[in-house]
Amino acid sequence: MHDRPRMEEALDVLRAQLEVGRSTKSELTTRAAWLAFMRFARQRFAAAPTPDSDGLLFQYGTYAFSGRPMFTVDLTRQFDISDDEGEHEHYVQVHCELRYECEPVLDALGSFDSWFFHDANADLDEWFVAMERHLELVLARVPAEIDVYEEPV
């Protein structure tokens, strides 16, 4: 694991991947953000080699996190942070939130979430394909807002 980036670098790695997807002439599309998140998700970090130490969360729904209701797609990476004895201390999540103005077709999707964990013997590419099906209505769109941040949970 010594050749893997530290978990503390994850936010910068995600931001760099999003910049790769941004055209100098246009805003970041949902497709470009999704491709950037997939590249970020493939990058392994120096997390403990346990089934729940490095997870990906795909979720969406209509929420009013920023004040007014918006349809939000939240692409998240979660790391388990352990203490010196190897016991769980807390999680750190790195988010890429894509927000869209509400409209009936998006609101009708309701809410959805799905987890993927590295080192849990699941197929990442299969998970990507399944999650991309949930993005079909917004892939070609430019989000009204994008928020990239890290938080302890």
Side-chain angles (χ1 to χ4, degrees):
M1 285 194 326
H2 64 280
D3 59 332
R4 294 180 178 179
R6 296 183 348 249
M7 292 179 288
E8 295 82 7
E9 299 174 72
L11 182 60
D12 290 335
V13 171
L14 175 57
R15 285 182 173 144
Q17 290 298 333
L18 288 165
E19 283 305 310
V20 168
R22 186 182 308 271
S23 164
T24 57
K25 297 179 184 174
S26 66
E27 295 295 320
L28 190 69
T29 64
T30 303
R31 180 178 307 282
W34 174 239
L35 292 172
F37 183 76
M38 288 194 304
R39 289 188 302 272
F40 170 66
R42 288 184 195 286
Q43 172 69 57
R44 297 303 306 270
F45 288 83
T50 58
D52 62 350
S53 65
D54 185 356
L56 306 171
L57 173 60
F58 175 97
Q59 59 186 339
Y60 64 75
T62 300
Y63 307 106
F65 297 137
S66 61
R68 68 182 198 279
M70 298 189 86
F71 182 78
T72 302
V73 175
D74 185 4
L75 309 172
T76 301
R77 183 118 183 218
Q78 177 175 282
F79 297 105
D80 178 29
I81 306 301
S82 299
D83 62 19
D84 292 337
E85 286 79 43
E87 296 295 320
H88 169 75
E89 190 173 281
H90 66 279
Y91 294 104
V92 169
Q93 292 184 338
V94 176
H95 295 266
C96 177
E97 286 184 3
L98 310 171
R99 298 187 196 114
Y100 308 84
E101 298 299 332
C102 286
E103 56 183 83
V105 68
L106 296 178
D107 292 341
L109 293 174
S111 62
F112 173 81
D113 66 81
S114 177
W115 282 94
F116 174 89
F117 288 94
H118 289 286
D119 300 318
N121 297 321
D123 187 287
L124 182 58
D125 289 322
E126 287 178 10
W127 188 77
F128 284 152
V129 168
M131 295 310 99
E132 191 165 321
R133 286 189 205 115
H134 289 277
L135 288 172
E136 288 177 352
L137 288 175
V138 294
L139 272 176
R141 298 179 188 213
V142 173
E145 298 175 8
I146 298 175
D147 194 10
V148 180
Y149 63 96
E150 179 179 294
E151 68 175 343
V153 290

